[in-house]
Amino acid sequence: MIYAYAALLIGFACQVVGHYTFPNLLINGSPSSNWQYTRETDNYSDLGPLEDVTSPEMTCYNTGVKSSPGVATVAAGSKIGFQAYGNPSSLYHPGVVNVYMAKAPSDVTTFTGSGNVWFKVYEITAVTNGGQSITWPAQNLPSVSFTIPKQLPSGQYLVRMEAIALHSASYYGGAQFYIACAQINVTGGGSGTPGPLVAIPGVYTGNEPGILIDIYYPIPANYTQPGPPVWPAS
């Protein structure tokens, strides 16, 4: 019995190594308290990933948790981000990052993010060398930050962080998604028209070449970032 219990503990420890979530919103480099502005995710305790891209959990990974975080006021043109928490507290696995936003029609705290409302504002992709090597700039980052576009209209938004771990992505459903959504109120915005707009879930089928991929052998000659292009185009 003792040996069986010890084996169970070891197995659990191995399972959670390299898993993470994003409870802290960074505002101009300063972290919020845990879940102060970020919707508490269903993996807040076990840190486990989501692997079914068709699941309703893909939106904000919080269908089983009904927390009531606040709304952070941030100016267009300022920098925000997400700080990782886990074992270790970094984006441990090789993979890529996408950050999406969706404008709430009124109160963001009741906004579900359903429909074609999401647009991509930031990404960290892979670096390839024609099949000689592939590297992952997002790997081991303790946090991910980006600048809110100055062209973004003022209003309340969901900001969705998505880290896609690809170490087991050689089979369908093997890619691991680590997700969090924060609630913000953007002030001093512009008159841009964000797009293209996509639905989450819906933006991925799981068969995309950047999601269903063997990153080890043969070494990919190139990498296609999942999702729409970043708005605004650089």
Side-chain angles (χ1 to χ4, degrees), residues 7-231:
L8 179 64
L9 291 179
I10 292 170
F12 178 75
C14 292
Q15 182 181 22
V16 300
V17 167
H19 292 177
Y20 31 90
T21 187
F22 306 98
N24 310 107
L25 183 68
L26 296 169
I27 303 175
N28 292 318
S30 298
S32 69
S33 58
N34 289 349
W35 313 113
Q36 182 179 0
Y37 302 117
T38 304
R39 294 180 177 181
E40 191 173 75
T41 51
D42 291 350
N43 68 336
Y44 75 95
S45 60
D46 65 26
L47 312 181
L50 181 65
E51 296 168 318
D52 179 4
V53 298
T54 67
S55 168
E57 293 274 28
M58 274 293 288
T59 309
C60 290
Y61 207 173
N62 72 327
T63 61
V65 178
K66 302 301 179 187
S67 62
S68 299
V71 180
T73 297
V74 294
S78 61
K79 182 169 284 190
I80 65 171
F82 291 85
Q83 184 170 288
Y85 169 78
N87 183 23
S89 292
S90 67
L91 278 66
Y92 177 78
H93 296 296
V96 298
V97 166
N98 290 317
V99 179
Y100 292 86
M101 295 183 68
K103 193 173 192 297
S106 55
D107 181 4
V108 71
T109 63
T110 60
F111 181 44
T112 63
S114 62
N116 292 309
V117 295
W118 295 94
F119 54 96
K120 191 193 290 187
V121 292
Y122 184 69
E123 65 184 22
I124 305 175
T125 190
V127 177
T128 58
N129 186 23
Q132 298 300 308
S133 65
I134 185 167
T135 57
W136 309 95
Q139 188 174 12
N140 295 319
L141 289 179
S143 63
V144 171
S145 293
F146 70 99
T147 300
I148 298 174
K150 291 184 177 180
Q151 305 96 312
L152 186 70
S154 299
Q156 296 196 353
Y157 290 83
L158 282 177
V159 187
R160 179 181 175 277
M161 167 73 181
E162 169 188 275
I164 311 175
L166 298 171
H167 58 291
S168 300
S170 59
Y171 61 91
Y172 184 85
Q176 298 180 351
F177 289 77
Y178 298 88
I179 299 164
C181 288
Q183 302 175 162
I184 66 171
N185 179 48
V186 176
T187 60
S191 57
T193 304
L197 300 179
V198 298
I200 304 175
V203 65
Y204 309 134
T205 66
N207 289 303
E208 289 78 8
I211 294 176
L212 180 57
I213 181 175
D214 187 337
I215 66 173
Y216 300 108
Y217 185 83
I219 297 172
N222 51 65
Y223 180 80
T224 303
Q225 185 79 0
V230 169
W231 179 87

